[in-house]
Amino acid sequence: MPVDLHTHSNASDGTDPPAEIIRLAASADLTAIALTDHDTLSGLDEARTAARTAGIDFIPGVELSVDHTGHKIHMLAYYVEPTGGPLQDQLPWLRAGRDERNEQILQRLADLGHPVTIDEVREHAHGEAVGRPHIADALVARGESVDRSDAFRKYLADGGPAYVERARLTATEAIDLTRSSGGVTVIAHPSTIGLDAPGYNRLFSELAETGLGGIEVFYPEHSPELRAHLARVATSLGLAATGGSDYHGTGKPGISIGTGRGDLVVPDISVDELLAHRP
Ligand code: AMP
Ligand code: ZN
Ligand code: FE
Ligand code: FE
């Protein structure tokens, strides 16, 4: 039976409450679901309670944006509990970095003639992890952009006119902190890192040596050939082959829980492989 190990609720930049994510997972007949909001664990309790009622296995998670030798990588950390630990202790710092950066982005937008206020941005954010997608929502509400993608394309994407860097952990810090918190890390959507083939080989083997647990193999934007290739890479390095939809509700149109764009199947053995990498 399929699972989905990558979803976002309105605790970060998804648009559905955590309990709705679980309801959708149940109606897709998934046996396990992970919630992986950006830089926050605040949706986990609601999701776990709903999963218990629905009879679905729940895997707590969080998605981190990390730096590795100048490359920006998203990393999923699983089995990180909201009750505390070394990784958990870093999350307030990461969110403070977001707040600082949001102010800087708004300054850039004002300089570009779009004086969006932080209150306008907060109208679109329900949780404590506020970011570029909520700024995009505020630009859409002003009629400045037609949707989130349009706002990213025009202003907010990496290297765009309103883009500003933010505080990040390094990949090895994220791996170490997650392991000492009892968790497992997975490189999210590796296709977005933008390396050449030798670069990917180096990245996967370097991080596997430092305690990485898995690679996100099954992902909507990965072709069947790429999924097969990444599955072989994961096996050869002794890493878990995981996957998920990266569901964001209406924040990312066309993506459904469990099935992604219609052809996603994340096998439940992914969860066993993840569990096998717990410290
Ligand atoms: P932030 O975490 O504030 O840096 O914002 C990054 C998040 O914005 C990503 O994790 C995606 O959820 C979302 N995002 C990135 N690029 C786009 C895009 N082109 N269109 C819509 N959403 C995007
Ligand atoms: Zn997101
Ligand atoms: Fe991501
Ligand atoms: Fe994500």
Side-chain angles (χ1 to χ4, degrees):
M1 293 288 271
V3 303
D4 190 334
L5 304 179
H6 189 162
T7 67
H8 297 271
S9 76
N10 63 9
S12 67
D13 59 358
T15 55
D16 293 341
E20 175 66 5
I21 305 278
I22 305 300
R23 198 192 64 72
L24 292 168
S27 49
D29 284 329
L30 304 185
T31 54
I33 179 87
L35 182 66
T36 53
D37 276 309
H38 302 277
D39 298 337
T40 181
L41 308 172
S42 67
L44 297 180
D45 287 339
E46 178 184 322
R48 191 193 316 263
T49 303
R52 200 171 292 139
T53 308
I56 296 187
D57 278 350
F58 179 67
I59 297 160
V62 63
E63 184 170 8
L64 305 166
S65 304
V66 306
D67 177 274
H68 183 66
T69 61
H71 297 286
K72 290 176 192 146
I73 300 176
H74 286 193
M75 210 165 248
L76 298 159
Y78 294 102
Y79 304 107
V80 172
E81 294 292 344
T83 40
L87 177 66
Q88 292 86 329
D89 290 346
Q90 297 298 316
L91 298 179
W93 173 73
L94 291 173
R95 292 193 297 265
R98 284 181 167 277
D99 294 340
E100 201 174 308
R101 172 224 221 176
N102 290 340
E103 293 289 349
Q104 293 167 340
I105 291 178
L106 294 187
Q107 185 57 55
R108 294 218 173 181
L109 285 173
D111 294 344
L112 291 164
H114 309 298
V116 179
T117 67
I118 193 67
D119 289 337
E120 284 174 72
V121 174
R122 286 193 196 286
E123 272 178 42
H124 303 279
H126 300 265
E128 54 188 12
V130 183
R132 287 182 286 165
H134 305 111
I135 299 175
D137 291 342
L139 285 164
V140 173
R142 276 182 169 248
E144 192 48 56
S145 301
V146 295
D147 55 22
R148 279 186 178 180
S149 290
D150 185 40
F152 269 85
R153 196 162 45 240
K154 287 201 279 205
Y155 307 107
L156 301 169
D158 292 23
Y163 181 74
V164 177
E165 262 302 325
R166 69 180 170 97
R168 294 163 185 272
L169 297 169
T170 66
T172 44
E173 283 170 340
I175 290 169
D176 289 347
L177 288 162
T178 303
R179 282 182 65 82
S180 41
S181 305
V184 184
T185 46
V186 169
I187 295 183
H189 43 71
S191 54
T192 60
I193 306 170
L195 298 169
D196 56 13
Y200 276 111
N201 290 340
R202 205 176 315 123
L203 172 78
F204 293 139
S205 50
E206 275 173 10
L207 294 185
E209 272 172 34
T210 59
L212 180 77
I215 299 174
E216 192 171 52
V217 167
F218 311 102
Y219 191 73
E221 274 69 40
H222 291 177
S223 66
E225 294 73 24
L226 182 57
R227 293 177 202 184
H229 170 71
L230 289 171
R232 282 192 298 273
V233 172
T235 304
S236 71
L237 292 170
L239 297 171
T242 73
S245 63
D246 210 357
Y247 179 78
H248 280 72
T250 57
K252 199 168 175 183
I255 296 283
S256 300
I257 295 234
T259 53
R261 294 192 192 280
D263 70 340
L264 184 73
V265 182
V266 185
D268 56 9
I269 194 173
S270 290
V271 177
D272 301 323
E273 293 181 12
L274 257 192
L275 279 167
H277 282 85
R278 282 186 82 166

